[in-house]
């Protein structure tokens, strides 16, 4: 039948089918390209990503009423102001217990195992750069601009990940500043970030800006005048405090807070503070008085981190007990910027929007109903943790040991419930193993189970047992307290480029 001579109804039906096919093709080829037009300005996003700050490493109680969930003697008035205007998350997780993999998962919106980025040498990620946070956001709304300043720590370039402006590929050592007026490069990168925000406002562009501070990662550096404030041994703000920090660490943290204040003040002077979401988060955990483990371990100390968010529609001074994770940030930003946009295939995170706008209540809906954390190098045992609801399973691949905790009643992971609730362990372990297998493949899983996936030269810690005797284990890999069984301190110049 000739199209021109076909009945009008049939021609209209054919045209509509073609239009629908085109829309479906766009959705498949270009996820994120379905941003609905709206009258109000698109929101801006300022993501402040700090390095190696433990869950209790700020002056703010992550758990309201518990002084061990903050650090006594830290002065962070700007972050405290942000918390008073926004929401503190008590159960926020980094995507990985060390830096590089945590950053990769955040960029791509999926767990490190599903991304095939479980150690810093990973290059063959299972998702293309076009699926990154910045690329997806700009595809959904072409007016957005994106920038990254500070620590990057991957071979893939920021440009390939969608950042229009960046400091390029930077590593830990780049944060060790030779300039006494710019310790940890904090002040310089803050000035660059503030200037870039002003340029976007003048050009009329909404933006996503990630400021990845090198602080408070070692080696600590601080302004001389800031350090002087903490050099008095009789300082009443620190005397007798169980959770007090060293003077240099306290000074570095205050300098970091000063830079946060500069960025927040610039939002205000530019007149965009009321239309900007500010997210403050650490890339991994560390040693604390309350949580077991530390950096490098999948115990709560290694993965639970500070998270504070302020912005439009967020109740001032609120707390949320909803578990969230770093790889949620991609879908959260997209949902807040362009509600209804399609996510790239394979994204495992979920949007925080309903929680942020619901006074901290509610759940984050994810494609998979679990959080998964994996680390198998530079640790005594290759290990994976899975949180599902309040239950958390930790599995050592080489020794076949499983540890089950109920985090609602056992935040410090002292009581192993594996023997008390034996029916749950096989079910959860099967789900954990299936997740790792799907992401890393059978060859890698076989290596994990044989113990070959560890670096072989470190640790060898004693079996974990049912909990912690005499208090929480304070150290993690590279931390002063050590990992299981007295892992020696290994960081320093030889480990300069380690996350």
């Amino acid at each position: 039948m000739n199209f021109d001579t076909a009945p009008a109804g049939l021609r209209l039906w054919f045209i509509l089918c073609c239009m629908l096919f085109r829309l479906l093709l766009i959705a498949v080829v270009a996820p994120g390209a379905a941003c609905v037009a709206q009258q109000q300005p698109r929101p801006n996003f300022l993501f402040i990503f700090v390095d190696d700050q433990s869950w209790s490493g700020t002056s703010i109680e992550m758990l309201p009423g518990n002084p061990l969930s903050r650090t006594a003697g830290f002065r962070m008035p700007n972050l405290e102001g942000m918390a008073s205007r926004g929401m503190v998350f008590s159960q926020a997780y980094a995507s990985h217990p060390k830096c590089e993999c945590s950053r990769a998962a955040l960029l791509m919106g999926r767990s490190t195992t599903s991304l095939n980025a479980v150690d810093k040498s990973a290059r063959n990620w299972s998702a293309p750069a076009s699926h990154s946070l910045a690329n997806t956001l700009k595809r959904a709304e072409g007016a957005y601009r994106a920038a990254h300043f500070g620590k990057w720590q991957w071979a893939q370039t920021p440009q390939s990940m969608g950042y229009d402006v960046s400091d390029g590929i930077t590593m830990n050592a780049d944060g060790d500043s030779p300039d006494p007026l710019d310790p940890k490069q904090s002040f310089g990168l803050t000035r660059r970030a503030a200037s870039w925000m002003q340029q976007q406002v003048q050009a009329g562009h909404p933006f996503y800006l990630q400021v990845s501070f090198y602080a408070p990662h070692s080696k600590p550096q601080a302004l001389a005048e800031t350090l002087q404030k903490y050099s008095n041994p009789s300082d009443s703000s620190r005397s007798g405090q169980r959770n007090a920090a060293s003077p240099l660490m306290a000074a570095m943290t205050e300098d970091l807070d000063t830079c946060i204040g500069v960025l927040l003040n610039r939002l205000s002077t530019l007149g965009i503070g009321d239309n900007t979401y500010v997210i403050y988060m650490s890339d991994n955990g560390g040693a604390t008085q309350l949580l077991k483990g530390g950096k490098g371990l999948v115990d709560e100390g290694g993965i639970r981190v500070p998270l504070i968010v302020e912005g439009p529609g967020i109740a001032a001074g609120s707390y949320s007990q909803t578990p969230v994770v770093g790889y949620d940030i991609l879908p959260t930003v997209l949902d807040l910027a362009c509600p209804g946009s399609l996510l790239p295939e394979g994204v495992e995170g979920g949007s925080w929007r309903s929680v942020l706008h619901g006074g901290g209540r509610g759940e984050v809906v994810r494609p998979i109903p679990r959080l998964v954390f994996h680390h198998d190098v530079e640790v005594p045992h290759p290990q994976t943790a899975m949180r599902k609801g309040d239950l958390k399973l930790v599995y050592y691949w080489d020794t076949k040991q499983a540890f089950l905790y109920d985090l609602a009643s056992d935040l410090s992971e002292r009581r192993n419930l594996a023997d008390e609730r034996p029916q749950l362990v096989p079910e959860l372990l099967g789900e954990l193993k299936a997740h790792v297998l799907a992401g890393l493949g059978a060859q890698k899983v076989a290596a994990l189970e044989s113990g070959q996936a560890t670096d072989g030269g470190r640790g060898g810690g004693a079996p974990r047992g049912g909990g912690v005797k005499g208090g929480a284990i304070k150290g993690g890999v590279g931390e002063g307290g050590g990992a299981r069984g007295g892992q020696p301190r290994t960081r320093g110049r030889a480990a300069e480029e380690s996350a």
Side-chain angles (χ1 to χ4, degrees):
M1 179 185 296
N2 188 293
F3 180 81
D4 293 331
T5 60
L10 184 60
R11 292 200 305 270
L12 178 60
W13 176 84
F14 180 78
I15 292 171
L16 289 174
C17 286
C18 290
M19 291 174 65
L20 178 61
F21 177 77
R22 182 173 181 272
L23 289 172
L24 290 172
L25 184 63
I26 291 174
V28 171
V29 175
C35 200
V36 179
Q38 62 182 31
Q39 303 248 329
Q40 65 268 32
R42 299 285 179 192
N44 306 297
F45 299 90
L46 169 58
F47 179 38
I48 301 171
F49 206 27
V50 300
D51 197 359
D52 268 18
Q53 190 171 67
S54 72
W55 184 62
S56 61
T58 75
S59 63
I60 298 157
E61 291 181 351
M62 290 296 111
L63 205 59
N66 192 321
L68 292 182
S69 65
R70 63 183 289 269
T71 298
F74 273 4
R75 296 165 181 155
M76 304 189 75
N78 293 298
L79 190 64
E80 289 169 12
M82 185 178 160
S84 71
R85 297 184 299 270
M87 184 176 295
V88 177
F89 284 81
S90 296
Q91 301 194 71
Y93 291 94
S95 303
H96 190 269
K98 291 192 74 178
C99 132
E100 290 96 347
C101 305
S102 175
R103 294 164 190 266
L106 189 146
L107 278 170
M108 307 306 295
R110 58 203 79 198
S111 64
T112 59
T113 45
S114 295
L115 184 58
N116 191 32
V118 293
D119 63 67
K120 60 189 175 186
S121 64
R123 296 294 180 268
N124 187 27
W125 293 1
S126 60
S130 61
H131 286 189
S132 72
L133 191 161
N135 279 325
T136 301
L137 176 63
K138 290 162 64 179
R139 191 162 50 242
E141 173 50 79
Y144 271 99
R145 298 295 181 266
H148 181 277
F149 296 103
K151 179 175 171 178
W152 182 254
Q153 203 77 5
W154 276 107
Q156 295 90 332
T157 67
Q159 182 180 12
S160 72
M161 294 292 166
Y163 292 101
D164 303 295
V165 174
S166 76
D167 289 339
I169 296 176
T170 55
M171 309 297 282
N172 279 327
D174 292 303
D176 297 339
S177 173
D179 183 356
L181 299 180
D182 190 18
K184 300 303 289 185
Q185 305 284 353
S186 294
F187 294 90
L189 68 91
T190 296
R191 286 190 291 269
R192 295 193 295 277
S195 175
W196 185 83
M197 286 194 294
Q198 182 169 332
Q199 293 169 18
Q200 305 320 302
V201 172
Q202 291 172 346
H205 289 297
F207 61 80
Y208 173 84
L209 169 60
Q210 181 169 329
V211 185
S212 297
F213 285 98
Y214 297 97
H217 192 289
S218 61
K219 63 181 181 183
Q221 294 180 322
L223 292 173
E225 57 265 37
T226 311
L227 181 58
Q228 184 62 36
K229 299 179 185 178
Y230 297 91
S231 298
N232 183 357
S234 63
D235 185 346
S236 60
S237 69
R238 299 170 47 78
S239 178
Q241 297 284 356
R242 285 184 59 196
N243 209 25
S246 70
L248 186 52
M249 182 62 72
M252 178 169 61
T253 302
E254 181 174 331
D255 285 343
L256 170 64
D257 184 75
T258 298
C259 293
I260 292 169
V262 171
L263 295 173
L264 297 178
N265 288 336
R266 183 58 60 93
L267 294 176
S268 179
T269 58
L270 291 173
I272 58 173
D274 291 339
N275 193 41
T276 299
Y277 290 95
V278 185
I279 305 169
Y280 177 95
M281 192 178 196
S282 177
D283 63 344
N284 53 252
T288 75
Q289 292 287 328
L290 196 57
L291 305 178
K292 177 188 284 186
K295 179 178 177 179
L297 303 177
V298 297
D299 303 309
E300 290 295 288
I303 54 178
R304 192 177 287 219
V305 294
L307 172 64
I308 302 167
V309 186
E310 72 164 310
I314 300 177
S318 54
Y319 273 84
S320 177
Q321 296 290 338
T322 301
V324 295
V325 68
Y327 55 83
D328 288 334
I329 289 180
L330 187 159
T332 298
V333 167
L334 194 65
D335 192 22
L336 292 170
C338 302
S341 296
L342 294 175
L343 290 168
E345 183 180 357
V347 166
E348 292 178 324
S351 172
W352 304 340
R353 185 181 184 184
S354 63
V355 177
L356 292 171
H357 293 168
R361 296 174 297 277
E363 295 184 2
V364 176
V365 179
R366 303 181 181 89
I368 55 170
R370 58 183 176 264
L371 303 179
V372 179
F373 312 91
H374 177 89
H375 196 203
D376 60 43
V377 297
E378 301 175 338
V379 287
H381 305 282
Q383 54 197 260
T384 305
M386 182 181 76
R387 175 165 179 168
K388 192 169 185 180
D390 289 328
L391 293 177
K392 179 181 176 184
L393 184 73
V394 177
Y395 183 63
Y396 287 173
W397 291 85
D398 56 343
T399 64
K400 311 299 187 289
Q401 291 175 288
F403 310 91
L404 181 64
Y405 304 104
D406 184 344
L407 296 177
S409 58
D410 184 20
L411 178 62
S412 298
E413 297 173 291
R414 296 172 181 268
R415 184 179 179 185
N416 183 7
L417 302 176
D419 292 334
E420 297 178 32
R421 304 170 76 175
Q423 75 283 358
L424 283 175
V425 173
E427 176 185 341
L428 293 173
L429 185 57
E431 189 172 343
L432 178 153
K433 287 187 171 184
H435 183 101
V436 175
L437 178 64
L440 302 184
Q443 183 176 355
K444 174 69 172 181
V445 168
L448 287 169
E449 292 186 321
S450 70
Q452 297 174 13
T454 62
D455 65 347
R458 295 189 187 176
R464 171 192 190 108
V468 181
K469 294 182 179 180
I473 290 177
K474 294 172 60 178
V477 174
E479 304 292 342
R484 300 284 184 268
Q487 169 110 345
R489 185 183 181 97
T490 55
R491 298 188 64 80
R493 298 307 299 179
E496 188 77 60
E497 294 304 320
S498 180

